[in-house]
Amino acid sequence: MTSIHYGCQSYPWKMSQNKYVGALGHMVQTAKRAGFAGLEIELDMLGSWLDDAAGAHRVFDENGLTLTALVFHQSCRAPQQSAQEQELLARVLDFLAFFPGARLMVSHQAKPGDRSDDASALRRSRENLMACLDQIAVRAGERGIVTAFHPNSSVNSMFRTAEDYELMFRMLAGTDMGYAADIGHIVNGGMDPVQTLTLGRSKLRHVHFKDRDASGRWTVMGAGSIDYPTVIRYLNETGYAGWIMVEDESERALLDPDGVVIDDGTYIARIK
């Protein structure tokens, strides 16, 4: 019997951000209609709900859905968080305290130039990032909140290739930060999903699914070339007992986020 739970991420609505910022009830209800058990939401999509955790909890509770994680984008360009970043983190942790079991998923907010061609500069950037991630994880851990780092495959990402990931896992091993695997970004970086999951299995705390075709174009789940049944089988066989979140970034999501989430739910129900 599987211990995996499935949810969706707020990114399909973020692609039309101005329309859906703060539309928590709409996103929760659509995720439920799609058959998902949970919703992961990005901080900038919460809107004013960040300061009304009790109200947000009621929205989830009334719809029988779980808040699985809150996505916290950080620049981490210095060895420690800035005062402004620390203040925002405190608000985020206060919010998550209302949702026992919800993860804090930290994503590096990569900017042009972050991935320097200068080896020593890149090393310092990576060390700064890991130092900040560890500080975030320690503060979250004091509140009983599990954290996970989400790398991506953008050209400015500090961890996007197989060689990068090997180094990333070695660096994460010395921190309290876990790992959030994004299968689409793994494949986009030229890696095999199962091999990569095996390498980082001890740190695995959270999983994202997004599909892509052979040319690298993001697609609706099931319309791409990634072998997701094999990924699910591996996670089940290794006792993964957490959440898999579908994060659709297809072009169609820009035009019809609700319809994409519904179709993604249908695909997951067929293969899980």
Side-chain angles (χ1 to χ4, degrees):
M1 182 177 179
T2 183
S3 297
I4 297 174
H5 306 285
Y6 294 84
C8 70
Q9 220 262 4
S10 62
Y11 201 86
W13 295 286
K14 184 174 179 175
M15 294 174 75
S16 305
Q17 186 167 344
N18 291 336
K19 181 177 180 180
Y20 292 102
V21 167
L24 182 61
H26 177 84
M27 290 184 282
V28 166
Q29 290 161 14
T30 305
K32 180 180 179 181
R33 190 155 53 95
F36 290 115
L39 174 71
E40 171 184 303
I41 189 164
E42 303 206 27
L43 179 59
D44 55 359
M45 292 300 291
L46 264 182
S48 61
W49 290 104
L50 177 60
D51 297 311
D52 185 13
H57 189 278
R58 283 194 297 274
V59 173
F60 279 93
D61 192 53
E62 288 169 0
N63 288 279
L65 222 69
T66 299
L67 174 67
T68 67
L70 181 62
V71 182
F72 186 51
H73 299 291
Q74 289 284 273
S75 60
C76 295
R77 289 178 178 81
Q80 58 184 10
Q81 287 185 293
S82 68
Q84 184 178 12
E85 288 172 335
Q86 292 181 38
E87 181 181 351
L88 180 57
L89 176 60
R91 292 172 65 198
V92 165
L93 295 179
D94 285 345
F95 179 87
L96 283 173
F98 276 77
F99 299 88
R103 292 342 194 190
L104 174 61
M105 199 186 73
V106 186
S107 176
H108 177 236
Q109 199 167 32
K111 300 291 186 183
D114 279 358
R115 190 180 178 93
S116 173
D117 291 331
D118 182 290
S120 61
L122 180 57
R123 183 182 67 253
R124 285 193 301 273
S125 294
R126 285 168 166 167
E127 290 172 349
N128 288 344
L129 173 60
M130 285 295 164
C132 281
L133 291 178
D134 194 30
Q135 293 161 27
I136 292 169
V138 168
R139 287 187 62 187
E142 292 169 351
R143 306 286 296 271
I145 297 167
V146 174
T147 54
F149 171 56
H150 178 291
N152 64 58
S153 56
S154 73
V155 295
N156 299 306
S157 174
M158 285 187 266
F159 300 102
R160 58 183 173 85
T161 68
E163 182 180 8
D164 294 342
Y165 270 55
E166 290 177 8
L167 173 61
M168 179 185 72
F169 290 134
R170 290 198 299 271
M171 297 180 80
L172 282 174
T175 73
D176 286 346
M177 180 66 66
Y179 167 51
D182 187 302
I183 305 304
H185 282 304
I186 289 171
V187 174
N188 220 31
M191 292 168 278
D192 177 85
V194 171
Q195 290 179 2
T196 305
L197 288 170
T198 301
L199 191 62
R201 184 64 183 83
S202 65
K203 277 286 189 176
L204 187 64
R205 303 290 181 269
H206 204 59
V207 177
H208 274 189
F209 279 6
K210 63 166 65 73
D211 213 348
R212 69 188 284 282
D213 61 23
S215 70
R217 182 177 61 92
W218 300 122
T219 70
V220 176
M221 291 298 298
S225 58
I226 299 177
D227 182 2
Y228 277 109
T230 294
V231 174
I232 292 171
R233 184 164 58 251
Y234 167 82
L235 291 170
N236 276 319
E237 289 173 350
T238 59
Y240 177 71
W243 286 91
I244 290 175
M245 311 305 300
V246 177
E247 183 187 20
D248 199 302
E249 297 187 26
S250 65
E251 292 179 4
R252 188 184 147 209
L254 178 63
L255 302 174
D256 182 21
D258 291 358
V260 160
V261 169
I262 297 295
D263 287 351
D264 288 342
T266 299
Y267 171 77
I268 290 296
R270 188 167 71 246
I271 69 168
K272 68 181 181 179

